[in-house]
Amino acid sequence: MDALTIAGIAMQNDMQRMDSISQNLANVMTPGYKRSIPVSRAFADLMGGAASGAAALHESTAAQVLDTSAGTLRATSNPMDIAIEGNGYFEVATEQGTAYSRQGTLQVDPRGRLCNGDGRALVGLGGEIVIAPGPFSVEADGKVKQNGQTVGQLKVVQFSNPQGLLPMGNGLLAQGDATVSDHNVAARVRTGFLENSNVSSPQEMIRLTETLRHFETMIKVAQGYEDVFQKTVSKLGEF
C-alpha cells in the first residue's frame, strides 16, 4: 500500500469523523441524544486484508458506535416530561417499525394516544396507551394513571448490548444488532425531568480541532507524494 492510498484512507476516515462530530454538536441540546463515535479499522487489518489500494480505501470506512452512557437529568417541573433513571429505552411505534428512545417529552394526540414529542405513539405493555381528556400522571414504575385508575404502563426495554442500536434520526434508535436483555434491572421513571444529551461540547470541539489538523497533514502528505511522482516522471523523461 503506497503513501497516497494511506493518505486517502486517513482523509476519508477524517471526513466521516467530522460528520459524526457535527451531528453530535448539532444535538447537544436534544434531550436523550446519544453521541456517536466513529471507529476505524485497525491499520494492520487494512495492510493484511486489502487486495488493492482501491479495495482498502473502500473497506476502511469507519463504523459508527453509540455512546450509550446516560446523560444528566434536568428538572423541568413539567408533568408532561419524563426521564428514565437507569438503563432502558421507551418503545416507540414508527412508520418504519418499532424504535427506541430516551426522549421523554409527552403529548396526547387527537386519538387520545400517549405520544412522544414528535407525535409518535409510545408503546405500553398492552399496546398503545389511550388516555381520556383530562390530567393524568406517570408513576415511577411507568404506570399511567388517570382519575385514580391505571390506564396503561409504559414499556421500558433494556438491551444486553445497547451499543448495537442504530440511529434513525429525531432521537430514535433501531434495534440493529442489539439484543433485548432477559435480566432487566428495575428502571425508575422520573416525572418532571428530561435527560440531557451525553454530548460534551468542549470535548467535541477538541476532537474537531484534532481531526482538522490531521486532515490537513494528510493533504500535505498526498501533495508531497504527488510532487515526488511528478519529479520522478520528469527525470525518466530526460533519458
Side-chain angles (χ1 to χ4, degrees), residues 22-78:
S22 298
Q23 183 73 11
N24 290 340
L25 288 172
N27 286 278
V28 69
M29 298 301 294
T30 302
Y33 176 81
K34 301 302 175 191
R35 65 189 284 261
S36 63
I37 306 171
V39 179
S40 303
R41 292 178 59 198
F43 182 73
D45 292 341
L46 293 177
M47 293 295 292
S52 67
L57 187 61
H58 175 72
E59 295 176 5
S60 67
T61 303
Q64 298 293 326
V65 177
L66 281 183
D67 175 3
T68 58
S69 60
T72 58
L73 298 187
R74 170 171 56 88
T76 66
S77 301
N78 185 347

Side-chain angles (χ1 to χ4, degrees), residues 99-203:
Y100 303 91
S101 177
R102 296 274 294 191
Q103 292 183 353
T105 302
L106 302 179
Q107 62 172 311
V108 179
D109 72 3
R111 295 164 55 186
R113 301 180 305 168
L114 186 62
C115 299
N116 67 1
D118 291 329
R120 295 181 173 88
L122 292 170
V123 179
L125 294 180
E128 293 181 348
I129 300 173
V130 179
I131 298 173
F136 65 91
S137 63
V138 180
E139 305 295 310
D141 59 1
K143 290 179 180 177
V144 182
K145 292 191 174 183
Q146 189 174 42
N147 299 323
Q149 302 294 319
T150 299
V151 297
Q153 183 169 0
L154 290 169
K155 188 175 183 181
V156 178
V157 182
Q158 297 180 349
F159 299 93
S160 56
N161 57 331
Q163 293 81 7
L165 294 168
L166 300 175
M168 297 173 60
N170 296 319
L172 298 175
L173 304 167
Q175 183 169 349
D177 294 329
T179 304
V180 176
S181 176
D182 295 327
H183 305 286
N184 287 354
V185 178
R188 182 184 180 192
V189 178
R190 300 284 300 274
T191 301
F193 288 84
L194 285 176
E195 180 184 351
N196 292 318
S197 74
N198 63 357
V199 177
S200 168
S201 295
Q203 290 181 0

Side-chain angles (χ1 to χ4, degrees), residues 1-13 43 46-47 53 57 214 218 221:
M1 190 183 300
D2 58 42
L4 190 59
T5 300
I6 294 173
I9 292 171
M11 286 189 287
Q12 184 183 44
N13 288 339
F43 182 73
L46 293 177
M47 293 295 292
L57 187 61
H214 185 264
M218 290 300 101
V221 170

